[in-house]
Amino acid sequence: MNQRTQVLLGIAWLLFWFLLTVTAIQDFQRSGNDGPLWQPVLWEGSSALASTTLLFLQRHFTRRYDHLLATPWRWFTRQAIWLPVTWAVFVPLAFGMRHAVYALAGRTYSHAPWAPTFLYENVKITVFFAIFVVILFGVLSFQNMLQARLRAEQSNALLREAQLQSLTQQMQPHFLFNALNTVSSLMHEDVQRADATLTQLADMLRATLDVSGSAQAPLSTELRLLRGYAALMGERFADRVQIDWRLDADAEACLVPVMSLQPLLENVFKHTVERRRGLTRISVATRRADSMLYLTVEDDAGQLAQAGAAHHPARGDDSSSPAPAAHAGGLGLRNLRARLQALYGDAATLELRQLSPHGVRAEIRLPCAC
């Protein structure tokens, strides 16, 4: 809840108790009481202070359940746990203040026996509790809707940038030239492989068009695009790359940002495979655990920079020498991080980790509610 909303709710709460106090004073005068007016002010003021304290504590300790707003019954259940606490504490707190002030004034505060007092006051505080919880739910849900709309707008803008970047970096003329050149070479050696390569290129272009204009797509669609790209690059770097696919079938229905895995794999080819003559082993893994999805691209030859902000370019062509796997500050990864933030906030992360003795693991963690 932002500060402006908190201030507005605080003003509304003060006005609410001000009106109750004014009404209590008028009732006190109309009933013929000639006592000092601080008495009705104390009655309502003690109730206001006690209820405000309890509701503040409730909000403080139940704030961590705000992620359950999408399933209202679970959110309301967490709030209802506080109702017995309110029943047990409200009357002793409010009436304790009244008895204390009356004693300081040399008076005795009289009220109904404790049993009916507890019953009557707890019925009232239950009504206040319910009103507070319902209003809080409405305010938080409305704010979540506005934040989701803002994230969607940011994501759409970032997606357009990512799609343009993908088309310029992956489908730019030299990439298509290399792919077609690979096909041309294969035509004289293996017509079936050349035909398969063309099919993979067409499938990759088709998959890209399928997700055009969408911020998210099922993981199965993302993997289809990734496999097409991997097959093309595998033909280009024959005998220099080996890709191991470890895919969780239960995760394929989960939604992921469009073009989220491809930049990770592209960086491995660009900064590792292209700069080594030896074999580079790459592992692509997906895993769903509870409500989280883990997407991992890992190689056995990359080397992170000392500062951890970038990967050094390869030095030499020795097949046994490690090569960098990606560039942590590159445009593709920066764009991907921004899209993850826009779509999921702090619930999603992108982490690069140095492996021992060589290799780099890039892992995306994001919520999966499928």
Side-chain angles (χ1 to χ4, degrees):
M1 188 181 301
N2 59 45
Q3 186 175 4
R4 181 172 179 270
T5 302
Q6 291 177 349
V7 171
L8 292 176
L9 288 177
I11 293 174
W13 184 253
L14 291 175
L15 288 175
F16 170 76
W17 282 106
F18 174 77
L19 291 176
L20 286 183
T21 302
V22 171
T23 302
I25 293 174
Q26 292 175 343
D27 291 339
F28 183 82
Q29 292 175 328
R30 281 198 298 265
S31 63
N33 292 317
D34 55 358
L37 295 181
W38 62 261
Q39 295 182 81
V41 174
L42 172 63
W43 303 339
E44 297 302 327
S46 60
S47 295
L49 184 59
S51 60
T52 300
T53 301
L54 289 172
L55 293 179
F56 177 83
L57 290 174
Q58 174 197 348
R59 177 59 187 152
H60 176 74
F61 288 105
T62 61
R63 188 188 307 272
R64 62 180 181 272
Y65 300 120
D66 285 355
H67 66 282
L68 299 176
L69 286 167
T71 51
W73 69 271
R74 295 177 64 189
W75 185 86
F76 278 108
T77 299
R78 296 301 191 280
Q79 308 303 315
I81 293 174
W82 271 83
L83 191 54
V85 177
T86 304
W87 290 338
V89 176
F90 175 76
V91 172
L93 186 60
F95 279 68
M97 286 186 284
R98 297 176 193 179
H99 279 286
V101 173
Y102 268 79
L104 291 175
R107 293 169 172 263
T108 300
Y109 177 59
S110 301
H111 56 80
W114 284 111
T117 296
F118 264 90
L119 178 61
Y120 176 74
E121 295 295 333
N122 282 340
V123 169
K124 290 200 306 181
I125 197 62
T126 300
V127 174
F128 285 131
F129 180 93
I131 293 174
F132 170 81
V133 169
V134 170
I135 292 176
L136 181 63
F137 177 80
V139 171
L140 292 176
S141 297
F142 180 72
Q143 283 197 330
N144 279 0
M145 182 191 70
L146 292 180
Q147 291 173 359
R149 183 180 300 172
L150 178 61
R151 287 197 298 268
E153 292 173 354
Q154 293 174 341
S155 179
N156 286 335
L158 291 167
L159 175 62
R160 287 192 293 271
E161 179 184 342
Q163 289 173 329
L164 288 173
Q165 173 196 332
S166 179
L167 290 174
T168 55
Q169 289 190 349
Q170 301 169 23
M171 298 295 127
Q172 55 190 310
H174 81 264
F175 174 83
L176 286 175
F177 172 79
N178 290 334
L180 293 175
N181 189 50
T182 300
V183 174
S184 177
S185 299
L186 288 173
M187 287 293 293
H188 300 286
E189 301 174 3
D190 192 330
V191 176
Q192 290 185 346
R193 284 180 62 195
D195 182 67
T197 302
L198 279 175
T199 301
Q200 291 288 352
L201 178 59
D203 191 58
M204 183 180 177
L205 292 171
R206 190 180 302 111
T208 303
L209 292 175
D210 288 344
V211 297
S212 178
S214 300
Q216 294 175 290
L219 179 58
S220 57
T221 302
E222 179 74 7
L223 290 173
R224 176 188 167 196
L225 176 61
L226 192 68
R227 283 185 180 276
Y229 176 77
L232 281 171
M233 300 304 289
E235 289 294 345
R236 179 182 172 188
F237 298 102
D239 302 324
R240 289 170 57 186
V241 64
Q242 176 183 313
I243 301 180
D244 177 28
W245 301 86
R246 293 178 292 162
L247 308 178
D248 183 357
D250 294 335
E252 291 191 357
C254 294
L255 294 178
V256 299
V258 170
M259 302 176 190
S260 53
L261 279 171
Q262 188 275 336
L264 304 182
L265 186 58
E266 181 184 28
N267 280 342
V268 178
F269 277 105
K270 181 178 179 181
H271 294 282
T272 301
V273 179
E274 288 187 4
R275 299 174 183 270
R276 300 180 75 241
R277 288 196 302 235
L279 178 66
T280 300
R281 293 178 177 85
I282 303 172
S283 172
V284 178
T286 64
R287 177 172 62 91
R288 179 182 177 183
D290 297 328
S291 59
M292 295 297 294
L293 180 63
Y294 299 83
L295 309 175
T296 306
V297 175
E298 177 181 314
D299 72 88
D300 66 348
Q303 188 70 34
L304 283 171
Q306 293 298 323
H311 300 270
H312 292 306
R315 302 183 185 277
D317 292 329
D318 192 331
S319 63
S320 63
S321 299
H327 195 292
L331 181 60
L333 293 186
R334 288 201 304 271
N335 181 277
L336 180 55
R337 290 182 192 276
R339 285 193 290 141
L340 289 172
Q341 176 66 31
L343 284 168
Y344 309 103
D346 295 334
T349 60
L350 168 58
E351 180 183 84
L352 297 179
R353 183 181 304 170
Q354 180 67 58
L355 303 179
S356 180
H358 307 300
V360 171
R361 175 184 297 153
E363 183 175 71
I364 299 173
R365 293 188 290 270
L366 56 122
C368 178
C370 61

